[in-house]
Structure formats: C-alpha cells, structure tokens
Amino acid sequence: MVGDHDRHRPVRHQDRGAAADPHPRRDLARGRLHRHERAAQRSYFDPAGIGVGTIGTYFLIYSLGLLIGQDIWQRVFTGRSGRVVTTGGIGAGVYCLVYGVAGALIGTAGAVMFPNLDNPDDAFTMIVAETLPVGVAGLVLAAALSAVMSTASGALIACSAVTSTDLWPQVRRLWRRGAAPVPGESEGAGNHGEVAANRVFTLVLGLGTIGTAVLIDDVVAALTVAYNILVGGLLVAILGGLVWPRGTRAGALASMVSGTAIVIATMVAKGMEANEPIYYGLLGSLVVYVAVSLATKPTDPAVLAAWRRRVRGEEAPEAAAEARVD
C-alpha cells in the first residue's frame, strides 16, 4: 500500500526516468541480444569467421549457380514480356539471397539454444519442435518438406528432360550411324519411345540422387559438390554463348566436359569442401572454350542473326511477313 508520505514525496530525476522509460521493449530486446551474443561463439558474429577464401568460394558457386540455375531461368522462359522477365528474375535472385540469410540466422539461433547438438543439420527441426506449438510446428515442417520436394522434383524432371531429349537421341544416332533404318518405326512410335525414355531416365536419375544423398550426409558438403559441378561445367558455356559471337557448339560442349572433369578430379584430390575445385574448373573450362571455338568453324551467320533477334525479343522475318499478310 502507498502511504500519504509516499504520495507527496518529490519525484527525483532517477525515479522519473525509471517510471517514464519510453522504450522498455526495445531495451529488453537489446538485453536479450547481448545475452545471445555472449552465449554464442564470437566467430558466429565475425563476418570473416569461416575465412575469406571460403566466403569467396561460397559467393562464387552459389550466386553464379543461381544465375545459371532454373530458379531464375524458368521465369525468363515463361515471362510474357521483357518487363516481367526482368522483374521476375531480379525478384527470384533477391528472394534466394534473403532466404539464405534467414537460414544463417536460424543456424545461429540453433547454436545458441542447442550448443551440444550432435548434427548441425538438425538445428532447424530442433528449433521448430522445441519452440513452436504442436500444430504450428507440424505446419512449418510440412511447408519445409513441400519446398524441398518441389525443388527436388523440378530439378529431377529438368535433368530427365534434357537427358532424354538432347543427349539420348545423339547417342542413339551415333550407335545407328551407317545402320539400316529400323522397320516399322514411325513418328508415333518415336513419340512413345521418347515418353518411355523420359520415364526410365527419371527413375535412373532419381535412384542416383538418392544414392548420392545417402553417401554425402552433410548438407553444406552436398550443396558445395552440386554447385561446383553446376558452375564449373556450365557457367562458361552459357555466358560465352550469350556474350561472345565467335563461340561454337563444339567449344561449349568441350568446356562443359572439361570443366566438370576438372572439378570432380580436384574434389577427389583436395576434398569435397576445398576451395580450389571451382577455380580450377572455371579456368580450365574457359581455356578449352576459347581454344576449341577458335579451332572450329564459326557459327552460321544466319543462326547468329536468328539468335540476336530472339535475344532482343524480335519476331523472325517469316513470322513478321505472315502477320502483315494476315
């Protein structure tokens, strides 16, 4: 109870400040952050805690991997206008970067909350299970699994389509070179065979993916291996085809094969999480791309002209003439 002497007691400066704290929640949040900083290792808050070389490698493989991956390109291929393509591509890239920062913050929180966690890859599920109500935790885990399954299925279907549509027909053509046509083979049978081949390659690639996931039980190591091969094998060929008219199909194919082989060989020699594979792979792929392109016949000027029109979003002359006639 408050007595009369307390009611009429003058309010001192420190009492006035304590009674009229304008930002109590902000001060409480700041205090919690300081406690978390003391609980976590200092290296977690050091921008170069994992090493400048490793940071450069991660930036190279993941940022350039997003540049040539389907996350952005599928928005380029399906955009109805140049503005939609630009907005969708930039938005997808920014979203991926923000998503990566969110993952890093979740990992830091997991290190503070569960310092004795045996497997760091379990941090997300542990945080969800221990901090959220049962129903909300189930929804969050279901959303995470659906995102993983969507990404995995999209990548698997893309790989299967490329293999069955672009690679397998070339292999069959090499096998049948000089051989007589197969009796009874028709366009309908060819379409049926393409669908069957797509299903078979989906099954084979899916089993290979599962086997790789079983062998590599570390998420960061698996992502590093995948993006090393992706960037080391495809980056030079894709960017070279976009910016260097003298590049040829043979040069692009040779750069893909050489870059992938160099990356894999370096990972075997240096380790899966070493920094050298991506640099050696990109350098070797660039050298091979330039050398083979200069040593082979240039691309047909008509093909280059059609490609430039397509990049600029212009119609082909035949289509434009038909549109004028109609």
Side-chain angles (χ1 to χ4, degrees):
M1 297 180 61
V2 180
D4 293 338
H5 63 283
D6 291 326
R7 287 197 188 101
H8 301 289
R9 180 175 58 90
V11 179
R12 293 177 296 180
H13 178 72
Q14 57 268 29
D15 294 336
R16 186 184 300 111
D21 187 358
H23 303 291
R25 293 184 179 180
R26 185 178 63 184
D27 294 339
L28 180 60
R30 187 183 299 114
R32 289 177 178 175
L33 178 60
H34 290 332
R35 287 198 298 272
H36 289 328
E37 289 179 354
R38 290 194 299 268
Q41 297 181 13
R42 289 189 176 183
S43 60
Y44 295 163
F45 297 93
D46 183 5
I50 62 175
V52 177
T54 303
I55 292 176
T57 300
Y58 285 170
F59 177 80
L60 182 65
I61 61 176
Y62 292 133
S63 61
L64 297 182
L66 292 174
L67 179 63
I68 63 176
Q70 67 169 356
D71 302 312
I72 293 178
W73 279 102
Q74 68 181 1
R75 288 157 179 80
V76 173
F77 293 143
T78 57
R80 61 187 178 186
S81 65
R83 183 178 180 181
V84 173
V85 168
T86 302
T87 304
I90 295 176
V94 172
Y95 173 79
C96 290
L97 294 177
V98 173
Y99 200 84
V101 173
L105 293 177
I106 292 174
T108 304
V112 174
M113 299 175 63
F114 310 104
N116 299 322
L117 189 63
D118 295 332
N119 187 359
D121 296 335
D122 296 335
F124 176 76
T125 55
M126 286 292 295
I127 291 177
V128 172
E130 296 295 332
T131 61
L132 297 178
V134 176
V136 178
L139 292 176
V140 172
L141 291 177
L145 288 176
S146 64
V148 171
M149 293 175 64
S150 175
T151 303
S153 63
L156 181 60
I157 292 173
C159 292
S160 175
V162 170
T163 304
S164 61
T165 304
D166 298 331
L167 299 180
W168 180 239
Q170 299 295 331
V171 174
R172 293 182 62 185
R173 190 174 294 110
L174 291 176
W175 284 351
R176 293 184 178 183
R177 179 172 295 178
V182 178
E185 185 176 35
S186 61
E187 183 178 355
N191 293 334
H192 178 74
E194 183 178 349
V195 173
N198 200 333
R199 293 174 178 173
V200 171
F201 282 118
T202 301
L203 176 62
V204 172
L205 293 173
L207 293 176
T209 302
I210 294 174
T212 304
V214 171
L215 293 176
I216 306 176
D217 58 354
D218 184 83
V219 174
V220 176
L223 288 174
T224 302
V225 171
Y227 276 90
N228 274 338
I229 296 175
L230 174 68
V231 177
L234 296 180
L235 179 67
V236 172
I238 292 177
L239 295 185
L242 291 173
V243 302
W244 193 38
R246 185 60 179 82
T248 62
R249 177 186 297 181
L253 181 60
S255 71
M256 292 180 190
V257 174
S258 62
T260 303
I262 293 172
V263 165
I264 294 175
T266 310
M267 285 192 296
V268 172
K270 300 284 188 178
M272 290 189 300
E273 299 186 64
N275 296 330
E276 292 86 355
I278 185 61
Y279 298 106
Y280 294 168
L282 287 176
L283 180 60
S285 178
L286 177 62
V287 172
V288 172
Y289 179 73
V290 174
V292 175
S293 296
L294 293 176
T296 54
K297 184 179 179 181
T299 305
D300 188 354
V303 175
L304 284 177
W307 169 251
R308 294 192 183 98
R309 286 194 301 269
R310 184 177 181 183
V311 171
R312 292 193 298 265
E314 300 176 357
E315 294 183 354
E318 297 81 3
E322 292 178 359
R324 287 194 296 269
V325 171
D326 295 339

